[in-house]
Amino acid sequence: MGTTVFERQKPADSVIDAALRDTAFGVFWLDDVERVEHPTLSADVSADLAVVGGGYAGLWTAVRAKERDPQRRVVLLEASRIAWAASGRNGGFCEASLTHGHENGVNRWPDEIDRLEELGLENLDAIEATVARYDMKVDFERTGQLAVAVEPHQVEWYRGEHGFLDEDAVQAEVHSPTFLAGDWDREGCAMVHPAKLGMELARVAVELGVEIYEHSIVRSVEGDGSGPIRLVTPGGSVTADAVALATNVFPSLLTRNRLMTVPVYDYVLMTEPLSDEQLASIGWSNRQGLADSANQFHYYRLTADNRILFGGYDAIYHFGGKVRPEYEDRMESHRKLASHFFTTFPQLEGLRFTHRWAGAIDSSSRFCAFFGTARRGRVAYATGFTGLGVGAARFAADVMLDKLSGEKTERTELKMVREKPIPFPPEPAAAIGINLVRAAMNQADHNEGKRNLFLKALDAVGMGFDS
Protein backbone atom coordinates (compact mmCIF):
# COMPACT_ATOMS: atom_id res chain seq x y z
CA MET A 1 0.00 0.00 0.00
CA GLY A 2 1.28 3.46 -0.89
CA THR A 3 1.58 6.60 1.19
CA THR A 4 -0.17 9.94 0.83
CA VAL A 5 1.46 13.34 0.54
CA PHE A 6 0.46 14.04 4.14
CA GLU A 7 2.57 11.08 5.27
CA ARG A 8 5.49 11.72 2.92
CA GLN A 9 5.88 15.39 3.85
CA LYS A 10 5.04 15.55 7.55
CA PRO A 11 6.19 18.58 9.56
CA ALA A 12 8.19 18.13 12.75
CA ASP A 13 6.25 17.49 15.96
CA SER A 14 7.72 20.70 17.36
CA VAL A 15 5.95 22.70 14.63
CA ILE A 16 2.62 21.12 15.55
CA ASP A 17 3.21 21.57 19.28
CA ALA A 18 4.00 25.26 18.89
CA ALA A 19 0.99 25.89 16.65
CA LEU A 20 -1.46 24.24 19.07
CA ARG A 21 0.10 25.38 22.35
CA ASP A 22 -2.33 28.23 23.14
CA THR A 23 -5.33 27.05 21.13
CA ALA A 24 -8.71 27.59 22.76
CA PHE A 25 -11.24 24.77 22.69
CA GLY A 26 -14.22 26.66 21.34
CA VAL A 27 -15.99 27.64 18.13
CA PHE A 28 -14.38 30.71 16.57
CA TRP A 29 -17.54 31.68 14.67
CA LEU A 30 -19.69 31.72 17.80
CA ASP A 31 -17.05 33.68 19.70
CA ASP A 32 -17.07 36.22 16.86
CA VAL A 33 -20.76 37.28 17.06
CA GLU A 34 -23.11 39.02 19.43
CA ARG A 35 -25.87 36.56 20.28
CA VAL A 36 -29.33 37.97 20.85
CA GLU A 37 -31.25 36.31 23.67
CA HIS A 38 -34.70 34.97 22.82
CA PRO A 39 -37.24 34.09 25.52
CA THR A 40 -38.07 30.59 26.70
CA LEU A 41 -41.58 29.32 26.02
CA SER A 42 -43.52 29.58 29.29
CA ALA A 43 -47.16 29.36 28.17
CA ASP A 44 -49.49 27.50 25.85
CA VAL A 45 -49.72 29.26 22.49
CA SER A 46 -51.22 28.58 19.09
CA ALA A 47 -49.77 29.12 15.63
CA ASP A 48 -50.45 28.53 11.98
CA LEU A 49 -46.97 27.01 11.60
CA ALA A 50 -44.58 25.72 14.26
CA VAL A 51 -40.94 25.13 13.37
CA VAL A 52 -38.75 22.87 15.51
CA GLY A 53 -35.05 23.71 15.29
CA GLY A 54 -33.15 26.99 15.24
CA GLY A 55 -30.47 26.11 12.71
CA TYR A 56 -30.45 27.04 9.03
CA ALA A 57 -33.24 24.66 7.99
CA GLY A 58 -35.60 25.89 10.69
CA LEU A 59 -34.71 29.56 10.26
CA TRP A 60 -35.10 29.46 6.48
CA THR A 61 -38.45 27.71 6.90
CA ALA A 62 -39.66 30.45 9.22
CA VAL A 63 -38.41 33.24 6.94
CA ARG A 64 -39.78 31.67 3.77
CA ALA A 65 -43.14 31.02 5.45
CA LYS A 66 -43.50 34.70 6.31
CA GLU A 67 -42.32 35.78 2.87
CA ARG A 68 -45.00 33.58 1.31
CA ASP A 69 -47.75 34.67 3.69
CA PRO A 70 -46.97 37.64 5.98
CA GLN A 71 -50.21 37.07 7.94
CA ARG A 72 -49.26 33.54 8.97
CA ARG A 73 -48.42 33.18 12.66
CA VAL A 74 -45.10 31.34 12.85
CA VAL A 75 -43.49 30.08 16.07
CA LEU A 76 -39.97 28.63 16.14
CA LEU A 77 -38.75 26.44 19.03
CA GLU A 78 -35.05 25.87 19.68
CA ALA A 79 -33.83 23.43 22.32
CA SER A 80 -30.68 25.45 23.07
CA ARG A 81 -29.51 28.65 21.30
CA ILE A 82 -30.01 29.82 17.74
CA ALA A 83 -27.37 28.33 15.37
CA TRP A 84 -25.31 26.80 18.21
CA ALA A 85 -24.89 23.39 16.56
CA ALA A 86 -23.94 22.59 12.94
CA SER A 87 -25.19 25.96 11.68
CA GLY A 88 -22.66 27.81 13.84
CA ARG A 89 -19.77 25.36 13.48
CA ASN A 90 -19.43 24.57 9.78
CA GLY A 91 -16.85 25.80 7.31
CA GLY A 92 -19.09 28.42 5.75
CA PHE A 93 -19.19 26.85 2.28
CA CYS A 94 -22.60 27.84 0.89
CA GLU A 95 -22.75 25.51 -2.09
CA ALA A 96 -25.25 25.37 -4.91
CA SER A 97 -25.28 21.58 -5.01
CA LEU A 98 -28.41 19.94 -3.62
CA THR A 99 -27.00 16.44 -4.14
CA HIS A 100 -23.61 16.56 -2.37
CA GLY A 101 -21.80 17.12 -5.65
CA HIS A 102 -22.35 16.25 -9.29
CA GLU A 103 -21.07 12.68 -9.12
CA ASN A 104 -23.40 11.66 -6.29
CA GLY A 105 -26.31 13.33 -8.05
CA VAL A 106 -25.71 11.82 -11.46
CA ASN A 107 -25.23 8.34 -9.96
CA ARG A 108 -28.56 8.51 -8.12
CA TRP A 109 -30.78 10.71 -10.30
CA PRO A 110 -29.28 10.75 -13.81
CA ASP A 111 -32.54 11.85 -15.44
CA GLU A 112 -32.89 14.81 -13.09
CA ILE A 113 -29.32 15.91 -12.54
CA ASP A 114 -29.34 18.76 -15.05
CA ARG A 115 -32.47 20.28 -13.53
CA LEU A 116 -31.25 19.62 -9.98
CA GLU A 117 -28.09 21.58 -10.72
CA GLU A 118 -30.14 24.43 -12.23
CA LEU A 119 -32.36 24.48 -9.15
CA GLY A 120 -29.29 24.50 -6.94
CA LEU A 121 -27.87 27.55 -8.71
CA GLU A 122 -31.27 29.26 -8.55
CA ASN A 123 -31.33 28.55 -4.81
CA LEU A 124 -27.86 30.04 -4.31
CA ASP A 125 -28.88 33.08 -6.37
CA ALA A 126 -31.92 33.46 -4.11
CA ILE A 127 -29.73 33.27 -0.99
CA GLU A 128 -27.50 36.01 -2.41
CA ALA A 129 -30.58 38.12 -3.23
CA THR A 130 -31.96 37.60 0.29
CA VAL A 131 -28.67 38.69 1.84
CA ALA A 132 -28.81 41.88 -0.22
CA ARG A 133 -32.54 42.54 0.30
CA TYR A 134 -32.32 42.42 4.09
CA ASP A 135 -28.81 43.88 4.30
CA MET A 136 -27.59 40.76 6.10
CA LYS A 137 -24.07 41.16 7.50
CA VAL A 138 -22.80 37.62 6.87
CA ASP A 139 -19.43 38.18 5.09
CA PHE A 140 -20.96 36.82 1.86
CA GLU A 141 -18.34 36.30 -0.88
CA ARG A 142 -19.31 34.41 -4.03
CA THR A 143 -15.79 33.36 -4.88
CA GLY A 144 -16.52 29.78 -5.93
CA GLN A 145 -14.75 26.60 -4.89
CA LEU A 146 -11.47 25.19 -6.10
CA ALA A 147 -11.11 21.42 -5.85
CA VAL A 148 -7.43 20.46 -5.87
CA ALA A 149 -5.57 17.29 -6.78
CA VAL A 150 -2.85 16.46 -4.26
CA GLU A 151 -1.92 13.02 -5.63
CA PRO A 152 -0.93 12.20 -9.24
CA HIS A 153 -3.89 9.89 -9.87
CA GLN A 154 -6.32 12.66 -8.91
CA VAL A 155 -5.15 14.93 -11.74
CA GLU A 156 -6.97 12.82 -14.34
CA TRP A 157 -10.25 13.24 -12.45
CA TYR A 158 -10.26 16.92 -13.41
CA ARG A 159 -8.71 16.90 -16.86
CA GLY A 160 -11.35 17.95 -19.37
CA GLU A 161 -13.55 19.69 -16.80
CA HIS A 162 -14.71 23.21 -17.68
CA GLY A 163 -12.79 24.74 -14.78
CA PHE A 164 -9.63 22.62 -15.13
CA LEU A 165 -6.37 24.20 -13.99
CA ASP A 166 -3.06 22.49 -14.65
CA GLU A 167 -0.24 22.60 -12.11
CA ASP A 168 1.04 26.02 -13.20
CA ALA A 169 -2.47 27.49 -13.21
CA VAL A 170 -3.46 26.08 -9.82
CA GLN A 171 -0.18 27.24 -8.30
CA ALA A 172 -0.89 30.71 -9.69
CA GLU A 173 -4.13 30.71 -7.67
CA VAL A 174 -2.83 29.26 -4.39
CA HIS A 175 0.79 28.42 -3.62
CA SER A 176 1.02 24.95 -2.08
CA PRO A 177 3.63 22.31 -2.96
CA THR A 178 0.86 19.71 -2.64
CA PHE A 179 -1.33 21.13 -5.43
CA LEU A 180 -0.90 19.31 -8.77
CA ALA A 181 -4.05 20.46 -10.59
CA GLY A 182 -7.51 21.75 -9.84
CA ASP A 183 -11.06 22.43 -10.95
CA TRP A 184 -12.45 25.88 -10.16
CA ASP A 185 -16.24 26.14 -10.04
CA ARG A 186 -16.52 29.93 -10.08
CA GLU A 187 -20.30 30.29 -9.57
CA GLY A 188 -21.39 27.30 -7.52
CA CYS A 189 -20.24 28.30 -4.04
CA ALA A 190 -20.15 31.35 -1.77
CA MET A 191 -18.24 31.84 1.45
CA VAL A 192 -20.19 33.01 4.50
CA HIS A 193 -19.60 33.52 8.21
CA PRO A 194 -21.73 30.63 9.53
CA ALA A 195 -22.75 32.10 12.87
CA LYS A 196 -23.46 35.50 11.37
CA LEU A 197 -25.74 33.80 8.84
CA GLY A 198 -27.63 32.11 11.68
CA MET A 199 -27.91 35.32 13.71
CA GLU A 200 -28.99 37.38 10.70
CA LEU A 201 -31.61 34.83 9.62
CA ALA A 202 -33.00 35.02 13.15
CA ARG A 203 -33.00 38.84 12.98
CA VAL A 204 -34.85 38.81 9.67
CA ALA A 205 -37.31 36.21 10.96
CA VAL A 206 -38.16 38.32 14.00
CA GLU A 207 -38.51 41.47 11.88
CA LEU A 208 -40.96 39.57 9.66
CA GLY A 209 -42.98 38.62 12.74
CA VAL A 210 -41.70 35.15 13.66
CA GLU A 211 -41.80 34.34 17.38
CA ILE A 212 -38.56 32.62 18.44
CA TYR A 213 -38.19 30.72 21.69
CA GLU A 214 -34.83 29.39 22.87
CA HIS A 215 -34.14 26.79 25.58
CA SER A 216 -37.50 25.26 24.64
CA ILE A 217 -36.84 21.61 23.80
CA VAL A 218 -39.77 19.73 22.29
CA ARG A 219 -40.39 16.61 24.35
CA SER A 220 -43.29 15.19 22.34
CA VAL A 221 -45.44 15.66 19.26
CA GLU A 222 -49.11 15.02 20.00
CA GLY A 223 -51.93 14.48 17.56
CA ASP A 224 -52.62 12.04 14.73
CA GLY A 225 -53.15 14.75 12.12
CA SER A 226 -56.94 14.71 12.16
CA GLY A 227 -56.66 18.09 13.88
CA PRO A 228 -53.89 20.50 14.91
CA ILE A 229 -50.57 19.17 16.20
CA ARG A 230 -49.41 19.96 19.73
CA LEU A 231 -45.72 20.36 20.56
CA VAL A 232 -44.97 19.94 24.25
CA THR A 233 -41.98 21.66 25.91
CA PRO A 234 -41.05 21.79 29.62
CA GLY A 235 -42.48 25.29 29.96
CA GLY A 236 -45.45 25.28 27.65
CA SER A 237 -46.83 24.03 24.36
CA VAL A 238 -47.53 25.15 20.81
CA THR A 239 -50.65 23.99 19.02
CA ALA A 240 -50.26 24.47 15.28
CA ASP A 241 -52.06 23.63 12.08
CA ALA A 242 -48.73 22.61 10.53
CA VAL A 243 -45.30 21.65 11.87
CA ALA A 244 -41.88 21.65 10.21
CA LEU A 245 -39.22 19.49 11.87
CA ALA A 246 -35.65 20.71 11.34
CA THR A 247 -33.75 18.93 14.12
CA ASN A 248 -31.26 17.29 11.73
CA VAL A 249 -28.44 15.55 13.65
CA PHE A 250 -30.44 15.25 16.86
CA PRO A 251 -32.78 12.29 17.47
CA SER A 252 -35.86 12.60 15.31
CA LEU A 253 -39.20 13.31 16.95
CA LEU A 254 -40.60 10.77 14.47
CA THR A 255 -39.79 7.14 15.25
CA ARG A 256 -39.71 6.29 11.56
CA ASN A 257 -36.60 8.44 11.07
CA ARG A 258 -34.52 7.24 14.02
CA LEU A 259 -32.29 5.00 11.83
CA MET A 260 -32.23 7.26 8.78
CA THR A 261 -29.23 9.35 9.90
CA VAL A 262 -26.14 8.90 12.04
CA PRO A 263 -24.04 11.62 13.74
CA VAL A 264 -20.48 11.75 12.40
CA TYR A 265 -18.02 14.13 14.05
CA ASP A 266 -16.00 16.55 11.94
CA TYR A 267 -12.98 18.46 13.32
CA VAL A 268 -11.80 22.00 12.60
CA LEU A 269 -8.90 24.38 13.28
CA MET A 270 -8.78 28.17 12.90
CA THR A 271 -5.54 30.12 12.60
CA GLU A 272 -4.70 33.56 13.85
CA PRO A 273 -4.96 36.30 11.17
CA LEU A 274 -2.22 36.09 8.57
CA SER A 275 0.15 39.02 8.15
CA ASP A 276 0.41 40.66 4.73
CA GLU A 277 3.69 38.81 4.18
CA GLN A 278 2.19 35.44 5.13
CA LEU A 279 -0.79 36.03 2.89
CA ALA A 280 1.47 36.99 -0.01
CA SER A 281 3.42 33.76 0.47
CA ILE A 282 0.34 31.66 -0.32
CA GLY A 283 -1.32 33.87 -2.94
CA TRP A 284 -5.03 33.03 -2.71
CA SER A 285 -6.03 36.50 -3.89
CA ASN A 286 -9.29 35.19 -5.36
CA ARG A 287 -10.33 33.80 -1.94
CA GLN A 288 -12.00 30.65 -3.22
CA GLY A 289 -13.07 27.88 -0.94
CA LEU A 290 -10.64 24.96 -1.25
CA ALA A 291 -11.10 21.22 -0.92
CA ASP A 292 -8.78 18.38 -1.83
CA SER A 293 -9.89 15.28 -3.63
CA ALA A 294 -9.42 12.22 -1.42
CA ASN A 295 -12.20 10.20 0.18
CA GLN A 296 -10.95 11.62 3.48
CA PHE A 297 -10.71 15.21 2.31
CA HIS A 298 -9.83 18.58 3.81
CA TYR A 299 -11.73 21.83 3.27
CA TYR A 300 -10.24 25.26 3.90
CA ARG A 301 -11.06 28.90 3.38
CA LEU A 302 -10.11 32.45 4.34
CA THR A 303 -12.16 34.51 6.78
CA ALA A 304 -12.91 38.21 6.45
CA ASP A 305 -9.89 39.01 8.63
CA ASN A 306 -7.63 36.57 6.74
CA ARG A 307 -7.54 33.66 9.11
CA ILE A 308 -7.51 30.19 7.58
CA LEU A 309 -10.10 27.63 8.61
CA PHE A 310 -8.81 24.09 8.03
CA GLY A 311 -11.10 21.14 8.66
CA GLY A 312 -12.22 17.69 7.62
CA TYR A 313 -10.30 14.45 7.02
CA ASP A 314 -11.30 12.52 10.15
CA ALA A 315 -14.98 11.60 10.26
CA ILE A 316 -15.60 9.86 13.57
CA TYR A 317 -18.67 7.83 14.51
CA HIS A 318 -19.19 6.78 18.12
CA PHE A 319 -20.99 3.61 19.14
CA GLY A 320 -24.66 4.25 19.88
CA GLY A 321 -24.99 7.25 17.58
CA LYS A 322 -25.05 9.77 20.43
CA VAL A 323 -24.40 13.52 20.20
CA ARG A 324 -22.23 14.39 23.20
CA PRO A 325 -20.00 17.38 24.03
CA GLU A 326 -17.12 15.14 25.12
CA TYR A 327 -16.76 13.85 21.55
CA GLU A 328 -15.79 17.33 20.33
CA ASP A 329 -12.36 17.64 21.97
CA ARG A 330 -10.32 14.97 20.17
CA MET A 331 -6.70 16.07 20.20
CA GLU A 332 -5.68 13.17 17.96
CA SER A 333 -7.81 14.62 15.16
CA HIS A 334 -6.74 18.20 15.79
CA ARG A 335 -3.04 17.25 15.76
CA LYS A 336 -3.57 15.39 12.50
CA LEU A 337 -5.22 18.48 11.00
CA ALA A 338 -2.34 20.67 12.19
CA SER A 339 0.16 18.30 10.60
CA HIS A 340 -1.75 18.30 7.30
CA PHE A 341 -2.04 22.09 7.40
CA PHE A 342 1.72 22.59 7.50
CA THR A 343 2.19 19.97 4.79
CA THR A 344 -0.18 22.03 2.66
CA PHE A 345 1.40 25.38 3.57
CA PRO A 346 4.97 24.78 4.86
CA GLN A 347 5.74 28.46 4.25
CA LEU A 348 3.39 29.30 7.14
CA GLU A 349 5.46 27.50 9.77
CA GLY A 350 5.22 29.53 12.97
CA LEU A 351 1.55 30.42 12.44
CA ARG A 352 -0.59 29.59 15.48
CA PHE A 353 -4.09 28.16 15.77
CA THR A 354 -6.41 30.18 18.00
CA HIS A 355 -9.41 27.82 18.06
CA ARG A 356 -10.16 24.12 17.73
CA TRP A 357 -13.63 22.57 17.72
CA ALA A 358 -15.84 19.89 16.25
CA GLY A 359 -19.44 19.34 15.26
CA ALA A 360 -21.74 16.45 14.47
CA ILE A 361 -22.93 15.98 10.88
CA ASP A 362 -26.38 14.48 10.18
CA SER A 363 -25.21 11.83 7.72
CA SER A 364 -27.61 9.91 5.52
CA SER A 365 -26.77 6.95 3.32
CA ARG A 366 -27.40 8.97 0.17
CA PHE A 367 -25.22 11.91 1.37
CA CYS A 368 -27.86 14.62 0.91
CA ALA A 369 -31.12 15.69 2.52
CA PHE A 370 -34.30 13.67 2.30
CA PHE A 371 -37.85 14.83 2.87
CA GLY A 372 -41.26 13.58 3.93
CA THR A 373 -44.47 14.14 5.82
CA ALA A 374 -46.26 12.51 8.75
CA ARG A 375 -49.49 12.85 10.72
CA ARG A 376 -51.70 13.10 7.59
CA GLY A 377 -49.52 15.71 6.03
CA ARG A 378 -49.55 18.14 8.95
CA VAL A 379 -45.90 17.44 9.84
CA ALA A 380 -43.07 17.83 7.33
CA TYR A 381 -39.38 17.11 7.79
CA ALA A 382 -36.03 17.52 6.08
CA THR A 383 -32.84 15.97 7.40
CA GLY A 384 -29.65 14.13 6.41
CA PHE A 385 -27.75 16.99 4.74
CA THR A 386 -24.42 15.18 5.35
CA GLY A 387 -22.35 18.33 5.65
CA LEU A 388 -23.76 20.29 2.71
CA GLY A 389 -26.69 22.04 4.35
CA VAL A 390 -25.56 25.67 4.36
CA GLY A 391 -27.13 26.34 0.97
CA ALA A 392 -29.43 23.33 0.62
CA ALA A 393 -31.30 24.24 3.82
CA ARG A 394 -33.14 27.03 2.00
CA PHE A 395 -34.26 24.63 -0.74
CA ALA A 396 -35.34 22.18 1.97
CA ALA A 397 -37.41 24.90 3.62
CA ASP A 398 -39.35 25.45 0.41
CA VAL A 399 -39.87 21.71 -0.01
CA MET A 400 -41.33 21.43 3.51
CA LEU A 401 -43.60 24.43 2.99
CA ASP A 402 -44.79 23.05 -0.36
CA LYS A 403 -45.59 19.72 1.26
CA LEU A 404 -47.41 21.32 4.21
CA SER A 405 -49.56 23.37 1.83
CA GLY A 406 -50.53 20.22 -0.04
CA GLU A 407 -49.22 21.69 -3.28
CA LYS A 408 -47.72 19.64 -6.05
CA THR A 409 -44.80 21.70 -7.24
CA GLU A 410 -41.75 21.01 -9.36
CA ARG A 411 -39.82 20.56 -6.11
CA THR A 412 -42.21 18.04 -4.54
CA GLU A 413 -42.39 15.96 -7.73
CA LEU A 414 -38.65 15.49 -8.06
CA LYS A 415 -37.56 11.89 -7.68
CA MET A 416 -34.79 13.18 -5.42
CA VAL A 417 -37.45 14.64 -3.11
CA ARG A 418 -39.86 11.69 -3.26
CA GLU A 419 -37.28 8.96 -2.61
CA LYS A 420 -35.93 7.97 0.80
CA PRO A 421 -32.43 6.71 1.60
CA ILE A 422 -31.71 3.25 2.93
CA PRO A 423 -31.70 3.33 6.76
CA PHE A 424 -28.63 2.47 8.79
CA PRO A 425 -28.75 -0.80 10.73
CA PRO A 426 -29.16 -0.78 14.51
CA GLU A 427 -26.17 -1.23 16.82
CA PRO A 428 -23.79 -2.97 16.92
CA ALA A 429 -24.03 -3.38 13.14
CA ALA A 430 -24.02 0.39 12.55
CA ALA A 431 -20.71 0.98 14.34
CA ILE A 432 -19.08 -2.07 12.78
CA GLY A 433 -20.24 -1.15 9.28
CA ILE A 434 -19.40 2.56 9.45
CA ASN A 435 -15.91 1.91 10.80
CA LEU A 436 -15.28 -0.77 8.18
CA VAL A 437 -16.27 1.72 5.50
CA ARG A 438 -13.98 4.36 6.96
CA ALA A 439 -11.08 1.89 6.92
CA ALA A 440 -11.85 0.94 3.32
CA MET A 441 -11.96 4.61 2.28
CA ASN A 442 -8.59 5.17 3.90
CA GLN A 443 -7.25 2.14 2.04
CA ALA A 444 -8.55 3.56 -1.24
CA ASP A 445 -6.75 6.86 -0.58
CA HIS A 446 -3.54 4.83 -0.21
CA ASN A 447 -4.22 2.86 -3.40
CA GLU A 448 -4.64 5.56 -6.06
CA GLY A 449 -8.31 6.00 -5.17
CA LYS A 450 -9.25 2.44 -6.18
CA ARG A 451 -12.30 1.28 -4.25
CA ASN A 452 -12.31 -2.33 -3.06
CA LEU A 453 -15.13 -4.82 -3.58
CA PHE A 454 -16.70 -3.89 -0.23
CA LEU A 455 -17.02 -0.22 -1.19
CA LYS A 456 -18.21 -1.09 -4.70
CA ALA A 457 -20.93 -3.31 -3.24
CA LEU A 458 -22.09 -0.54 -0.91
CA ASP A 459 -22.07 1.93 -3.80
CA ALA A 460 -24.21 -0.44 -5.85
CA VAL A 461 -26.96 -0.60 -3.22
CA GLY A 462 -26.81 3.10 -2.35
CA MET A 463 -25.07 2.62 1.02
CA GLY A 464 -21.71 4.21 0.32
CA PHE A 465 -20.39 6.64 2.90
CA ASP A 466 -19.01 10.14 2.75
CA SER A 467 -17.80 12.56 5.42
Side-chain angles (χ1 to χ4, degrees):
M1 186 181 296
T3 59
T4 70
V5 65
F6 301 107
E7 294 160 331
R8 295 191 299 271
Q9 301 178 21
K10 291 179 66 173
D13 284 345
S14 59
V15 173
I16 299 170
D17 292 341
L20 290 170
R21 183 168 295 124
D22 300 317
T23 302
F25 174 55
V27 183
F28 167 80
W29 304 121
L30 295 173
D31 287 348
D32 195 45
V33 293
E34 291 187 21
R35 305 177 73 180
V36 174
E37 290 274 358
H38 298 277
T40 299
L41 185 67
S42 59
D44 298 328
V45 302
S46 61
D48 299 307
L49 171 69
V51 180
V52 183
Y56 297 148
L59 290 166
W60 274 117
T61 302
V63 168
R64 294 292 296 131
K66 293 294 283 187
E67 288 181 332
R68 290 182 177 204
D69 180 2
Q71 303 308 311
R72 182 184 297 183
R73 184 178 183 187
V74 179
V75 172
L76 184 148
L77 302 173
E78 164 55 42
S80 181
R81 300 292 306 281
I82 290 296
W84 75 276
S87 296
R89 296 165 182 260
N90 64 83
F93 287 63
C94 187
E95 298 191 37
S97 179
L98 305 174
T99 61
H100 209 290
H102 176 80
E103 185 173 356
N104 188 53
V106 77
N107 287 341
R108 296 178 188 278
W109 304 288
D111 297 336
E112 290 184 348
I113 187 60
D114 289 344
R115 184 57 183 148
L116 287 170
E117 294 193 339
E118 290 173 353
L119 289 170
L121 283 168
E122 290 172 9
N123 181 64
L124 183 54
D125 289 343
I127 292 172
E128 185 170 13
T130 302
V131 167
R133 181 165 63 254
Y134 296 114
D135 192 24
M136 298 170 68
K137 309 298 186 186
V138 299
D139 299 346
F140 189 96
E141 297 180 275
R142 195 156 177 179
T143 51
Q145 182 172 189
L146 175 59
V148 294
V150 296
E151 300 288 350
H153 69 270
Q154 296 169 0
V155 175
E156 297 307 312
W157 298 350
Y158 297 132
R159 201 179 300 278
E161 294 293 330
H162 177 70
F164 176 73
L165 303 177
D166 64 15
E167 186 168 1
D168 288 342
V170 77
Q171 290 289 340
E173 289 298 324
V174 185
H175 312 324
S176 169
T178 66
F179 293 176
L180 306 178
D183 179 21
W184 186 5
D185 176 0
R186 296 170 184 257
E187 291 295 320
C189 187
M191 297 293 105
V192 298
H193 186 303
K196 287 183 180 179
L197 179 58
M199 299 305 116
E200 286 287 81
L201 281 170
R203 173 185 66 80
V204 171
V206 170
E207 290 177 357
L208 292 173
V210 176
E211 301 163 49
I212 294 178
Y213 295 96
E214 292 182 320
H215 304 295
S216 301
I217 187 170
V218 175
R219 296 295 189 190
S220 63
V221 180
E222 297 180 353
D224 63 5
S226 58
I229 301 296
R230 184 169 179 259
L231 303 174
V232 180
T233 78
S237 68
V238 180
T239 301
D241 294 327
V243 172
L245 299 180
T247 55
N248 296 311
V249 77
F250 297 97
S252 176
L253 290 163
L254 300 175
T255 303
R256 70 179 67 176
N257 285 338
R258 290 291 172 88
L259 295 177
M260 300 300 280
T261 63
V262 293
V264 175
Y265 276 83
D266 183 50
Y267 296 85
V268 186
L269 293 172
M270 183 72 85
T271 73
E272 62 189 341
L274 273 65
S275 68
D276 290 344
E277 292 77 15
Q278 288 170 324
L279 195 58
S281 75
I282 61 172
W284 212 347
S285 61
N286 286 312
R287 300 180 61 83
Q288 315 95 322
L290 298 178
D292 58 45
S293 307
N295 289 301
Q296 294 179 283
F297 65 94
H298 309 86
Y299 55 87
Y300 29 123
R301 49 81 54 94
L302 291 166
T303 65
D305 61 348
N306 292 328
R307 299 168 185 265
I308 297 176
L309 174 142
F310 195 81
Y313 195 80
D314 273 348
I316 306 298
Y317 174 79
H318 295 274
F319 184 91
K322 303 295 184 184
V323 180
R324 292 177 172 165
E326 56 263 35
Y327 295 156
E328 297 172 18
D329 193 6
R330 190 173 192 266
M331 190 52 74
E332 176 186 351
S333 292
H334 287 125
R335 286 189 64 85
K336 189 178 297 181
L337 281 174
S339 175
H340 295 180
F341 177 90
F342 289 111
T343 296
T344 304
F345 296 122
Q347 64 270 49
L348 295 181
E349 183 176 324
L351 191 68
R352 297 180 304 113
F353 298 106
T354 62
H355 291 73
R356 71 181 192 277
W357 72 90
I361 295 172
D362 57 326
S363 302
S364 74
S365 65
R366 72 183 204 174
F367 311 154
C368 61
F370 63 94
F371 314 88
T373 59
R375 311 292 170 93
R376 304 186 188 186
R378 287 185 181 267
V379 175
Y381 58 84
T383 190
F385 291 91
T386 320
L388 258 71
V390 181
R394 183 188 179 279
F395 177 84
D398 276 324
V399 170
M400 287 193 284
L401 292 170
D402 287 352
K403 284 181 170 292
L404 289 171
S405 71
E407 297 178 71
K408 280 190 174 183
T409 67
E410 180 183 17
R411 282 183 291 263
T412 63
E413 296 309 294
L414 290 166
K415 190 176 181 182
M416 188 269 280
V417 169
R418 290 185 286 110
E419 288 185 342
K420 301 290 191 297
I422 297 171
F424 291 93
E427 296 291 13
I432 294 169
I434 291 168
N435 288 315
L436 282 174
V437 170
R438 184 167 177 263
M441 290 168 61
N442 183 61
Q443 182 184 52
D445 288 339
H446 287 78
N447 189 30
E448 298 184 344
K450 296 172 184 175
R451 296 169 79 82
N452 62 20
L453 291 175
F454 177 53
L455 289 180
K456 290 178 179 178
L458 290 175
D459 292 341
V461 299
M463 279 291 288
F465 201 70
D466 195 307
S467 60

